[in-house]
Amino acid sequence: MAVLSWWLGERAGHDFVADVAKASSIMSGLGAAVSAVVNVLNYRRAAQNTTAEPQDYGDRLAELVVKEVGSEIDLLGLAGSDYIEVDWTFNPRFSTAETRQKFIGDGHVPKATTPRGLSTLADDWRKHRPQLTVILGHKGAGKSTAAMLLTHQLLTGRTDREDAGPVPVLFRIGEWNPGHDLQAWIEDELVKHYDLPKTSGDRESDIAGRLLAGGHLVLVLDGFDEIAASRSQDALRALRQTLTTLPCPVVLTSRIEQFTEAMSAFGDRLGVTATVTLRPITQDKAELFLKSGHQDEGHWDAVIGQLRKDGSPIAQALTTPLMVFLCREAYKSEDDRPELDRLAQYKDRDAVEHDLISRFISSRYTRGTAAAKAQATASSRRSPGASDMAAISRKYDPADATRWLKFIAAHMDLLQTSQFEWWQLAETNPRRASEQVLLPVRLRLGRRGVVFGSVLGLMFGLMFGLTFGREIGPVAGLMAGPVVGSLTVLVYGLTTDTHTQSQLQTFTARQVLLGSRNTLIGLWLATGLMSGLMSGLMAGLEVGPVLGLVAGLVGVLMGVLMAGLAGALSREDWVRYRLTHFRLSRRESKLPRHLMDFLEDSHRLGVLRRVGAAYEFRHGALQRFLLDAPSISDEAPPSALKA
């Protein structure tokens, strides 16, 4: 474009060097003015965030968390008749003397050994408010469920109390690297998942840091047992440091075996600790739950007969809420009535669990939307969340769905994570989301950006037209106004947090994906506009406004094409995702063509649960099953039956 402008200028007798210098001066002035305005606005916004009350952000954060957790509770069937309540008891082994005194008292006979349901856990926590609460249980005992229900109970009871108390927020601590600072990781998670403003590197100025420092949060850390055993000591030291420096109460969940081993090696106390243990599901409670499924009388006789046999594989498996729930889901149809001959063939507990998970996944992905709606209509009488099965957007063959889920499970295992994030699809090594991925979360093109950009664009358009009207004409000068205004809006939106506590929000995977795409396209267009403006100015100063306009349009096109090529070559996350997804879905059939629809539908069906913009399996047992199982069928796999 510069060569074209030089050639046109030579034909017209213009001094090309002088005109280029003039155009460059104009662009430099515009850029400096835009930067100055944005810096002033950033400074004002940072000052407003510094003076904002953390409690105001805390109240809005509470609204987001209760909505998010409440939705997961409904979709996973953790409310109403679809939920089998787990009992808990106080565990004095890892509890400190202070909490033993509160829970047990002065007598030698413990008063806290009577089992209590999880519905009472929030009331007991409010009564004692220990610095650290540890919830222990065996595999499938309902630890993550307990964390969600406790979070939801504390939040729903918060509005009915004058002293609202701190806001419980759920974190998947298994995603944290113990080699990094725990508090910094928590702050990053708050910014990423709930869009808390982060305007500086100063922890005392950022909202997340002030919420933690002021004790406005309850940190519910789910999944300590997911941390590698080799890093458990580092994790406990970091946890003790956090308990020492922050006034925030902490709730930690873990399997009994992993926590016991870690604490034995640690050999020190963490703080004022209360420990509770989740109890296995009793035979009577399992029978009552199975019979509440609206099936005909006698439907569950074969299962109950095996359940009453001490030591039978069925009796061993149906001691966790997950397996009791999966059993009712697997055999809830009259066409799937459990038969004694089949149930008696299971060789061990693992075989029962394997078959129940297989049947659960297969039953969830029906062969058409009509079948899904019929299933949802029957289930909606039992659970509000079950009606969402009617909202699935596409029909899925169980074999296809299983193949896709197997790839997702294998990809998560490769990256050593429990969460599936679309921007990790092209990765073979785990990494945090790049700034480009998280940029849409911070993108704000609100009214202030539009107003300031428009005013600035009009101002520069008038100045440009009046100053250089003699050489390129007032019309061409005024045309620069909208361009400058658009650039100002974009720069302001990309570099400034303009939202307040009332505008906090959570983002789904689809929203982040679309935001990443739109941001990248916006940057390409901005590059094209800048290229077009520069080309138009140079050509306009050389040969007049008409050819200058033509040169500007050509410059816009060339700028967009070059920016797009640069984005592809630089392996931007959205570009990499699209290329990888195309290969995996169209050429290798390892993923569905409409991946976001499938993830959202799997979430509605209760196979996946959503964690911010990521997804994870409703329980680690499903992921482990998919890693081991070659396929899903309506019949039990051969390994599940006795030889």
Side-chain angles (χ1 to χ4, degrees):
M1 193 57 60
V3 173
L4 176 62
S5 299
W6 171 80
W7 181 77
L8 291 172
E10 287 295 314
R11 294 290 299 272
H14 288 273
D15 186 349
F16 177 72
V17 176
D19 289 339
V20 169
K22 185 183 297 185
S24 300
S25 299
I26 294 171
M27 296 304 299
S28 300
L30 294 179
V34 171
S35 300
V37 172
V38 169
N39 288 334
V40 171
L41 296 176
N42 277 339
Y43 176 80
R44 292 183 60 189
R45 178 56 53 192
Q48 292 178 11
N49 283 335
T50 303
T51 58
E53 290 295 331
Q55 188 59 48
D56 295 335
Y57 282 94
D59 292 339
R60 175 55 181 161
L61 183 61
E63 296 175 9
L64 292 176
V65 176
V66 73
K67 181 179 179 181
E68 183 180 40
V69 175
S71 174
E72 292 301 305
I73 287 174
D74 285 343
L75 286 172
L76 296 176
L78 302 179
S81 60
D82 263 355
Y83 171 60
I84 178 170
E85 185 173 27
V86 178
D87 292 331
W88 63 275
T89 55
F90 178 75
N91 184 342
R93 178 174 180 184
F94 296 111
S95 302
T96 53
E98 299 92 329
T99 56
R100 285 198 297 267
Q101 177 69 23
K102 291 179 180 179
F103 276 88
I104 297 178
D106 297 327
H108 296 290
V109 180
K111 297 186 296 183
T113 55
T114 303
R116 284 171 278 186
L118 282 180
S119 58
T120 69
L121 189 57
D123 292 334
D124 282 282
W125 188 92
R126 290 193 191 98
K127 180 179 179 181
H128 302 294
R129 290 205 179 191
Q131 184 183 19
L132 172 64
T133 303
V134 181
I135 301 176
L136 299 177
H138 294 290
K139 180 182 70 173
K143 300 176 293 297
S144 295
T145 296
M148 280 194 289
L149 292 177
L150 176 60
T151 300
H152 195 260
Q153 291 165 12
L154 291 175
L155 286 169
T156 53
R158 194 172 179 270
T159 57
D160 302 330
R161 301 165 58 88
E162 292 183 4
D163 179 18
V167 179
V169 183
L170 192 60
F171 300 92
R172 313 294 179 187
I173 195 174
E175 296 299 308
W176 164 59
N177 181 355
H180 299 156
D181 182 63
L182 178 58
Q183 183 178 345
W185 176 79
I186 292 173
E187 292 175 3
D188 289 342
E189 292 294 296
L190 289 170
V191 172
K192 183 172 73 171
H193 289 308
Y194 300 105
D195 200 20
L196 284 175
K198 187 176 181 64
T199 56
S200 69
D202 184 4
R203 180 171 285 173
E204 296 181 357
S205 301
D206 288 329
I207 296 300
R210 294 172 66 194
L211 286 171
L212 292 172
H216 297 288
L217 304 179
V218 179
L219 308 179
V220 184
L221 309 178
D222 182 31
F224 176 82
D225 52 277
E226 296 177 10
I227 297 175
S230 60
R231 306 304 303 271
S232 62
Q233 300 304 299
D234 294 334
L236 289 177
R237 279 190 288 270
L239 179 60
R240 183 174 60 182
Q241 177 66 22
T242 300
L243 291 168
T244 303
T245 57
L246 294 180
C248 297
V250 175
V251 177
L252 183 72
T253 72
S254 177
R255 289 188 187 178
I256 295 176
E257 300 83 1
Q258 282 84 344
F259 188 77
T260 300
E261 181 180 347
M263 286 299 296
S264 298
F266 190 59
D268 198 359
R269 57 177 280 170
L270 295 172
V272 179
T273 306
T275 308
V276 300
T277 302
L278 303 182
R279 296 172 59 87
I281 300 298
T282 63
Q283 174 188 313
D284 292 340
K285 184 173 285 192
E287 289 185 20
L288 184 63
F289 180 77
L290 292 175
K291 291 179 178 179
S292 65
H294 302 286
Q295 286 81 18
D296 293 340
E297 186 176 357
H299 183 88
W300 296 104
D301 286 352
V303 175
I304 291 175
Q306 291 292 311
L307 191 60
R308 292 176 178 176
K309 276 188 173 183
D310 292 338
S312 71
I314 292 286
Q316 295 176 32
L318 300 190
T319 56
T320 66
L322 174 66
M323 289 302 151
V324 178
F325 169 77
L326 293 184
C327 182
R328 196 175 77 171
E329 290 298 300
Y331 293 107
K332 67 181 178 182
S333 171
E334 290 297 332
D335 297 333
D336 294 327
R337 180 187 293 264
E339 300 294 339
L340 178 60
D341 291 343
R342 178 184 178 80
L343 298 179
Q345 294 183 53
Y346 291 117
K347 62 180 181 180
D348 54 30
R349 174 176 180 167
D350 290 341
V352 177
E353 295 179 353
H354 188 280
D355 190 37
L356 292 180
I357 295 173
S358 171
R359 288 177 171 273
F360 169 75
I361 295 177
S362 181
S363 66
R364 289 293 175 172
Y365 295 97
T366 58
R367 292 183 179 273
T369 305
K373 290 184 177 181
Q375 189 177 24
T377 301
S379 301
S380 60
R381 295 192 298 267
R382 296 181 286 109
S383 170
S387 61
D388 285 330
M389 293 178 64
I392 63 173
S393 60
R394 300 179 183 275
K395 56 180 67 175
Y396 302 102
D397 184 276
D400 291 337
T402 302
R403 184 174 67 255
W404 301 331
L405 290 173
K406 281 177 60 63
F407 176 82
I408 291 174
H411 184 71
M412 293 163 57
D413 185 63
L414 175 67
L415 299 185
Q416 300 179 351
T417 178
S418 62
Q419 296 181 354
F420 179 75
E421 299 165 317
W422 65 261
W423 56 86
Q424 298 270 28
L425 188 60
E427 297 297 322
T428 56
N429 294 298
R431 67 178 178 88
R432 290 190 61 81
S434 69
E435 286 299 313
Q436 189 272 329
V437 172
L438 297 182
L439 191 58
V441 177
R442 306 188 184 108
L443 182 60
R444 289 291 182 275
L445 298 179
R447 289 175 297 178
R448 288 182 175 167
V450 173
V451 170
F452 280 113
S454 300
V455 171
L456 190 62
L458 179 60
M459 179 181 67
F460 276 112
L462 290 173
M463 291 173 57
F464 192 82
L466 293 174
T467 304
F468 301 100
R470 290 184 177 181
E471 299 191 47
I472 65 172
V475 176
L478 289 174
M479 287 178 61
V483 176
V484 177
S486 301
L487 292 174
T488 305
V489 171
L490 184 64
V491 173
Y492 181 72
L494 295 179
T495 59
T496 308
D497 285 312
T498 65
H499 59 308
T500 62
Q501 62 271 17
S502 63
Q503 295 171 306
L504 298 185
Q505 57 187 311
T506 56
F507 293 87
T508 65
R510 185 185 294 274
Q511 288 173 323
V512 174
L513 177 64
L514 294 178
S516 181
R517 180 201 65 185
N518 295 341
T519 300
L520 192 58
I521 292 175
L523 292 174
W524 292 350
L525 291 176
T527 303
L529 289 173
M530 185 65 71
S531 173
L533 181 58
M534 188 67 182
S535 301
L537 283 173
M538 293 170 61
L541 291 172
E542 291 290 321
V543 295
V546 177
L547 289 179
L549 178 61
V550 174
L553 294 176
V554 175
V556 169
L557 178 61
M558 294 298 296
V560 171
L561 291 177
M562 292 301 295
L565 179 61
L569 294 177
S570 63
R571 299 174 66 81
E572 294 284 355
D573 287 293
W574 179 77
V575 175
R576 299 179 67 207
Y577 164 76
R578 279 302 177 195
L579 294 175
T580 305
H581 176 252
F582 179 84
R583 173 175 58 82
L584 293 173
S585 61
R586 303 299 177 98
R587 298 176 58 183
E588 302 179 21
S589 300
K590 293 181 178 179
L591 286 176
R593 294 187 177 184
H594 304 279
L595 179 58
M596 288 299 156
D597 287 346
F598 177 71
L599 293 174
E600 291 170 352
D601 287 341
S602 299
H603 177 229
R604 295 187 185 101
L605 294 172
V607 177
L608 301 178
R609 58 183 180 185
R610 187 169 69 86
V611 183
Y615 288 95
E616 62 184 21
F617 288 97
R618 69 174 292 153
H619 194 277
L622 273 70
Q623 182 180 352
R624 290 190 296 273
F625 165 79
L626 289 165
L627 289 172
D628 298 334
S631 62
I632 298 285
S633 65
D634 291 335
E635 298 298 324
S639 61
L641 305 179
K642 294 179 180 178

